[in-house]
Amino acid sequence: MTRVKRSVHYMLLILIALLMMAPLLLGIWASLLPTTDIVAGHFTSLNISLTNYVNAIKTTPVVLYMWNSLVMSTLIMLGQFVFCTLAAYAFAFLQFRFKNGLFFAFLITMMLPFEAQIIPNFQTVRALGWLDSYPGLTIPFFTSAFGVFMLRQAFLQVPNELKEYSDLIGLGRLQFLWRIVLPYSRSTLITFGLYTFLTHWNQYLWPLITTFSDAHRPTQVGLKQLQAEDTFSNWGVIMATAILVLLPTLLILIVGQRYFRKGLNAGGVKG
Amino acid sequence: MAVFTYYPMIMTVINSLFATNLTGKAANFVGVGNYVTIFSDPLFFKSLGNTFIFVAVTSVSTIALALILARLATQRLRGAGFFRTAFASTMGVSAAAASILWLFLFNPSVGLISILLKMIGFAQVNVLTNPTGAMIAVILSSVWMGSGFAFLNLLGALQSVPQDYYDVASLAGWSNWRQTWKITIPMVSPTLFFLIVVEVIGAFKTFTQIDLITGGGPDNTTNFIAYKVYQDAFNYRNIGIASAEAIVLTVIIALATWVQFRFTERKVYYQ
């Protein structure tokens, strides 16, 4: 590339990156400004401070919401780890009747929209007395067809020799899974874990209908709650809470970027 | 899996065949009565039509934008890593947090978009109370939210296209546009196909942005089917109607996916 062409390219990249990041950058900027300046339209004001963050933490339950989200997402991640690993192990290594039929029955659920299951799920959880509780928020998500599929694909790549070797030295099934299969599939497991955590931290519809109190309300629905209350006119504080809520996932994404790309491509390439 | 996926799916079909009484229980068997009701309701057709417009515009724009971003970010330049992180960053922002960021931009008195519109001479500055404006707002924010995921997918795919192809094409004097059209798109067509399927399904299920940005308004313009299911089930407590709508949504998604596999996959080039 010539120098002119190169600098044009850089200008274009910078311009587009700024445009793409504008909503986020403006949000961060607004969260640092006093609301009086925002309302007056003084966006170039330099009265920046962390006051909005202090107020958000002191006057709103945002920290409690974040704790709820952390507990919820971690429980779901662990639950899926256990159940999806075991199911994927069965589909990858064991021989049993109707194996292909059952696997197909798993996969087909990936096509069914959650919206079409949400009403009976709500009724089930209500009947179990799990509304507005951690079990109600987490247990319905302990299995995932996507997770089983992703882990099965990874497990199938474990070389046969390792299986033969583990039989030879007399490892049981669970030991084989724990000591050989899981370490071998480490990068898929990390992708899967990050993905699950991110998805459920960001979940909205289910917590919206099953939580009623601040004690169990996770962050995403908490944002709606804060917006509905009179804090809404206080733009500085609402922006600060939004930034606080998106910060963990943004960090996970930036740190785990390369895992996501690898995992995504494994899904994108048919095989 | 059985309790929270298959059982609810079957229950939704059953519920859709019953009229609901005042306590929200499915009481009288009405056969296809609920389906007759929704298909003779002009509001349902309005919702359906607007959903199709939204899905078509959003999924095509998201993928086109992501392809442009990925083409820009795979050029051999210093600092490309920074731009990749910038373009991928929207994937780390949850739909709820993103909705708050966009709500701020669209706010009639303090939002930057409203201020810009006023500067170029638009009289009406509250975008969200105008039917066309609200639709554009929801599309814009959805494209922004979805672009990070599509970008990361395409980035991985683009990086596997050998640079030699572009070098030869440049020597032959092909424009950037022609290179994208003749080399990039065929080479990444499996990923593009995967993305189209995923984006269309995702767009049909759009919920969070609607709930937070427009609430389905104004005058039901942005009341897409997934949101209507929620409103009918949890605001109006009409489980029968909501279940029938959920089944219609499921069938539409299944049909759309089938059509894509039937007609688009033939054009996909697998190596």
Side-chain angles (χ1 to χ4, degrees):
Chain A
M1 265 195 255
T2 62
R3 271 186 68 170
V4 179
K5 220 175 151 192
R6 187 176 292 252
S7 32
V8 169
H9 195 94
Y10 267 117
M11 303 270 265
L12 200 63
L13 266 175
I14 291 167
L15 187 72
I16 293 178
L18 274 179
L19 267 178
M20 287 303 294
M21 297 195 60
L24 185 58
L25 294 178
L26 282 169
I28 294 174
W29 183 247
S31 75
L32 299 171
L33 291 177
T35 300
T36 46
D37 279 1
I38 301 176
V39 173
H42 292 155
F43 284 106
T44 47
S45 143
L46 287 175
N47 291 327
I48 52 171
S49 69
L50 290 174
T51 320
N52 289 325
Y53 288 89
V54 175
N55 284 338
I57 291 167
K58 270 193 194 150
T59 61
T60 72
V62 67
V63 174
L64 180 60
Y65 293 158
M66 289 177 78
W67 169 251
N68 291 337
S69 277
L70 182 70
V71 173
M72 177 183 82
S73 313
T74 310
L75 284 177
I76 293 176
M77 192 171 73
L78 293 175
Q80 284 206 10
F81 176 77
V82 171
F83 289 103
C84 293
T85 302
L86 290 175
Y89 176 84
F91 284 125
F93 297 109
L94 304 184
Q95 295 304 324
F96 51 92
R97 264 149 63 95
F98 310 121
K99 181 169 142 179
N100 289 333
L102 269 176
F103 187 59
F104 182 71
F106 257 72
L107 283 190
I108 200 108
T109 63
M110 277 165 67
M111 306 271 300
L112 303 174
F114 184 60
E115 281 74 10
Q117 305 154 16
I118 202 157
I119 300 164
N121 272 340
F122 175 77
Q123 291 166 337
T124 303
V125 166
R126 187 176 53 189
L128 290 167
W130 285 353
L131 286 182
D132 204 20
S133 74
Y134 286 128
L137 280 173
T138 56
I139 291 177
F141 302 101
F142 272 12
T143 62
S144 134
F146 173 76
V148 173
F149 180 55
M150 188 172 171
L151 293 181
R152 171 188 176 264
Q153 300 304 93
F155 290 176
L156 284 177
Q157 287 167 19
V158 175
N160 240 336
E161 290 79 28
L162 285 176
K163 173 74 180 146
E164 286 161 12
Y165 173 73
S166 83
D167 286 343
L168 201 70
I169 60 169
L171 284 184
R173 278 176 184 168
L174 278 177
Q175 278 180 314
F176 170 60
L177 176 65
W178 185 251
R179 292 222 200 133
I180 294 173
V181 177
L182 292 184
Y184 195 87
S185 320
R186 199 175 52 224
S187 94
T188 307
L189 284 170
I190 294 175
T191 311
F192 173 60
L194 290 177
Y195 176 84
T196 310
F197 189 89
L198 210 65
T199 309
H200 290 281
W201 178 277
N202 291 343
Q203 201 183 11
Y204 185 78
L205 180 53
W206 182 251
L208 176 68
I209 60 174
T210 58
T211 55
F212 317 113
S213 71
D214 284 344
H216 295 99
R217 187 175 284 129
T219 47
Q220 310 301 327
V221 187
L223 281 179
K224 177 179 175 152
Q225 187 68 20
L226 294 178
Q227 185 218 37
E229 286 166 9
D230 38 302
T231 15
F232 191 46
S233 52
N234 195 342
W235 276 106
V237 170
I238 195 83
M239 293 320 268
T241 50
I243 302 299
L244 279 176
V245 167
L246 66 80
L247 219 51
T249 44
L250 194 61
L251 287 177
I252 290 181
L253 183 93
I254 291 172
V255 173
Q257 215 193 108
R258 94 199 139 90
Y259 287 104
F260 278 110
R261 201 158 40 184
K262 239 194 273 173
L264 291 174
N265 282 323
V269 178
K270 300 233 318 183
Chain B
M1 193 81 174
V3 177
F4 290 107
T5 306
Y6 296 113
Y7 164 76
M9 208 54 226
I10 295 162
M11 275 312 286
T12 304
V13 176
I14 295 174
N15 277 335
S16 75
L17 302 175
F18 284 83
T20 43
N21 61 21
L22 287 173
T23 57
K25 281 228 167 60
N28 303 315
F29 182 76
V30 291
V32 292
N34 286 327
Y35 293 92
V36 174
T37 310
I38 58 171
F39 278 112
S40 49
D41 177 9
L43 191 58
F44 182 72
F45 278 101
K46 186 177 182 184
S47 168
L48 210 56
N50 288 335
T51 309
F52 282 127
I53 296 173
F54 171 79
V55 169
V57 178
T58 304
S59 46
V60 170
S61 318
T62 306
I63 294 172
L65 173 66
L67 189 62
I68 295 170
L69 296 180
R71 272 288 271 149
L72 284 170
T74 41
Q75 311 275 354
R76 276 178 301 193
L77 285 172
R78 262 197 295 171
F82 168 77
F83 293 107
R84 283 174 201 162
T85 307
F87 294 157
S89 65
T90 64
M91 194 185 157
V93 181
S94 72
S99 300
I100 301 284
L101 295 178
W102 283 90
L103 209 50
F104 177 63
L105 292 177
F106 287 125
N107 184 283
S109 53
V110 299
L112 203 67
I113 290 182
S114 311
I115 293 171
L116 286 176
L117 282 178
K118 213 183 283 178
M119 272 165 59
I120 56 171
F122 274 87
Q124 190 184 11
V125 282
N126 193 349
V127 183
L128 299 178
T129 53
N130 173 302
T132 318
M135 181 67 119
I136 294 174
V138 172
I139 290 175
L140 258 182
S141 57
S142 304
V143 169
W144 185 77
M145 290 175 209
S147 64
F149 173 79
F151 167 77
L152 267 187
N153 266 286
L154 283 169
L155 184 63
L158 251 62
Q159 282 171 334
S160 64
V161 179
Q163 184 61 37
D164 311 4
Y165 292 13
Y166 295 114
D167 292 344
V168 172
S170 296
L171 280 179
W174 285 20
S175 66
N176 253 330
W177 174 255
R178 190 162 176 207
Q179 289 179 24
T180 306
W181 205 247
K182 296 274 182 188
I183 302 173
T184 315
I185 290 182
M187 290 297 285
V188 300
S189 55
T191 305
L192 278 177
F193 176 67
F194 165 79
L195 276 179
I196 291 170
V197 173
V198 172
E199 294 293 338
V200 167
I201 294 178
F204 268 116
K205 302 204 274 189
T206 301
F207 180 85
T208 312
Q209 300 93 294
I210 309 296
D211 195 38
L212 283 170
I213 299 183
T214 66
D219 191 24
N220 289 303
T221 311
T222 56
N223 194 351
F224 306 142
I225 307 183
Y227 193 66
K228 200 165 175 341
V229 172
Y230 161 79
Q231 280 196 324
D232 283 331
F234 296 101
N235 290 351
Y236 308 127
R237 310 220 162 249
N238 199 332
I239 305 292
I241 293 287
S243 299
E245 287 167 348
I247 296 298
V248 173
L249 175 65
T250 310
V251 171
I252 289 175
I253 291 179
L255 273 179
T257 311
W258 179 78
V259 166
Q260 289 170 34
F261 269 92
R262 181 85 176 66
F263 295 102
T264 321
E265 207 187 9
R266 259 188 287 165
K267 300 202 179 88
V268 172
Y269 168 76
Y270 291 111
Q271 274 182 307

